[in-house]
Amino acid sequence: MSYEKVADALNNMLRLKHPITRAALCQNVLRLGQLAAEKYQSLIAQLQAASVVHADETGWRIGSKSAWLWVFTNARATIYLIREGKGARGHEAVLEILGRKFAGTLVSDCFVAYDHHALAAWAKQKCFSHLLKDLSQMSDAAWALSSEFIDATSRCLRAAMALKAKRATLNKAGHDAQCAKLEERLDKILESHADTGSEDAARFLARLVKHRAHLFTFLYADEVDATNNLAERQVRPAVIVRKTQGCNKSADGAEAHARLASLLATARQRGQSTLDCLIEIVYRRLEPA
């Protein structure tokens, strides 16, 4: 809802002597965003020390300027970052949140920002949901020329996910042996279909080759997933805001939005009341030094 509609709803329900204005609501959100800065930084520190972080991104606007919204999340915390201008779509945003010394595993799609040399030493996992979706959506021409490659690759990726699902039932030796077979199986697919006749399939194969080292990370780390579904779920509310409310009008508004959305999303993840989360931000400000 817009500030105007919220103000109208509150004034109609509460019958206040001095009606609330949309400007007052906006100013109070900005103040609340300022009060949330400390807790926001605390969440960033938690993600920097995490063993796994999922990342995703989507287009945004600040006033009339193009911007970018990022989400970094795991099972315990979520951070939103909104940036415009130089570096807004680049690896700089990743480093701003996770830092240069991040030692966990970054789960993401194949967006080029995650391939920057500054992140080259990081452990990564590329999202299987994106890869399988792209395989299933190959053009008819691609299927006609490269159906064997498309089918073999899809079956290999799904076999890896099935192996992950039954990890708890296997001893280490059995698990390692099956992992080795899958590694060899994928390498043979990439080698034997290097000259696939379809341009779409050739581009997809080149992507697999590029990210080969980051395809099966999830098989060896229990806490790492094969997909980036968590980050996609957490970025979805931002997509709804972009479609219904036009993003942010100012840089200060974008900063407040990112901080408050981060704290509220994290509260929901932890089973905490979002209202209590906001009250805590205010009362921390009122506590004596």
Side-chain angles (χ1 to χ4, degrees), residues 181-226:
K181 289 181 180 179
L182 277 172
E183 299 273 15
E184 182 180 1
R185 177 177 170 182
L186 180 58
D187 286 337
K188 286 183 176 179
I189 291 172
L190 299 180
E191 181 180 354
S192 60
H193 295 281
D195 297 324
T196 181
S198 161
E199 291 185 5
D200 287 346
R203 282 192 294 269
F204 185 85
L205 186 144
R207 192 191 319 164
L208 293 182
V209 172
K210 177 181 179 181
H211 298 294
R212 176 63 184 88
H214 308 304
L215 295 179
F216 287 157
T217 305
F218 75 102
L219 291 177
Y220 305 98
D222 290 341
E223 68 273 23
V224 177
D225 295 328

Side-chain angles (χ1 to χ4, degrees), residues 69-135:
L69 180 143
W70 297 77
V71 61
F72 301 89
T73 185
N74 60 17
R76 292 286 298 165
T78 293
I79 282 289
Y80 294 97
L81 179 74
I82 301 173
R83 289 292 180 264
E84 57 93 12
K86 185 177 180 181
R89 295 188 62 186
H91 72 287
E92 295 90 345
V94 182
L95 293 177
E96 180 177 348
I97 297 301
L98 297 182
R100 292 185 177 276
K101 297 182 179 180
F102 178 66
T105 299
L106 179 64
V107 183
S108 72
D109 55 25
C110 294
F111 185 44
V112 66
Y114 305 115
D115 301 332
H116 193 271
H117 63 80
L119 316 180
W122 291 16
K124 300 172 188 173
Q125 172 62 50
K126 295 304 176 183
C127 178
F128 273 30
S129 291
H130 284 82
L131 297 176
L132 289 169
K133 180 180 179 181
D134 289 346
L135 281 169

Side-chain angles (χ1 to χ4, degrees), residues 15 88 136:
R15 303 294 181 182
S136 68

